Amino acid sequence: MARLPILRYPDPRLHTVARPVAAVDERVRQLVDDMLETMYAADGVGLAATQLDVHERVIVMDISEQHDRPLVLINPEIVARSDETALAEEGCLSVPLVYDRVERPARVTVRALGRDGQPFELDAEGLTAVCVQHEMDHLVGKVFVEYLSPLKRERIRTKMLKKTRDEMRGK
Ligand code: GNR
Ligand code: NI
């Protein structure tokens, strides 16, 4: 297993559209395991392959308190969404220390392949619904800050560039 570096906004590679996985083989299972290790190490509840500069439709999630309920979604597709929406505070490992509210469908049904290559459906609500939609946005090159106002987004861009610069100087 390996921990991989997470791309930071405004890295243009975060806007890459991922392609579907052709076959869930050993290579893809290795990617899934590396993603889980990276997500747990970063204390995240979800991670999309896009964030690791791998542009394939793979997501990992774990919203459990004990970090013992990994969820793997390969080639995920939303097959149903509720008309009802919910406003929830979101954060992103690619936009550290930034949190803001985003409105999304409150419930979604997702169809995907698991780590074993078998198809399954997930009825998601609450944090699971927020997270799965946030991760699926990453797979089409969308970061949650794109739902915010242009002014907020500009401030976030500046803050992230400064943070990255400070870290490179050892601050
Ligand atoms: O760790 C994460 N927490 C989170 C909190 C609220 C809404 C979405 C998320 S996803 C985020 C990890 C991440 O960046 N996934 O892409
Ligand atoms: Ni994210």
Side-chain angles (χ1 to χ4, degrees), residues 88-91 98-102 144 148 152 156:
E89 183 105 347
E90 298 194 19
V98 172
Y99 304 89
D100 213 326
R101 292 190 307 170
V102 176
F144 87 99
L148 309 179
K152 278 188 178 176
I156 291 165

Side-chain angles (χ1 to χ4, degrees), residues 1-2 4 18-36 49 52-58 60 72 74-75 114-115:
M1 297 240 282
L4 303 169
R19 34 189 162 57
V21 168
V24 183
D25 54 15
E26 198 48 45
R27 181 190 66 86
V28 173
R29 283 190 288 274
Q30 183 63 56
L31 170 63
V32 163
D33 293 346
D34 290 346
M35 287 174 65
L36 282 166
L52 306 179
D53 201 23
V54 175
H55 303 288
E56 300 187 53
R57 291 185 61 81
V58 180
V60 296
V72 174
I74 298 167
N75 297 345
R115 192 183 178 284

Side-chain angles (χ1 to χ4, degrees), residues 39 42-48 51 60 88-95 99 127 130-131 134-135 138:
M39 177 187 75
D43 246 323
V45 296
L47 191 69
Q51 293 174 278
V60 296
E89 183 105 347
E90 298 194 19
C92 182
L93 293 172
S94 295
V95 197
Y99 304 89
L127 178 58
V130 173
C131 195
H134 174 117
E135 304 312 337
H138 277 301

Side-chain angles (χ1 to χ4, degrees), residues 60-71:
V60 296
M61 288 171 46
D62 190 338
I63 61 153
S64 71
E65 212 123 292
Q66 306 290 327
H67 296 174
D68 58 356
R69 303 295 297 259
L71 202 54

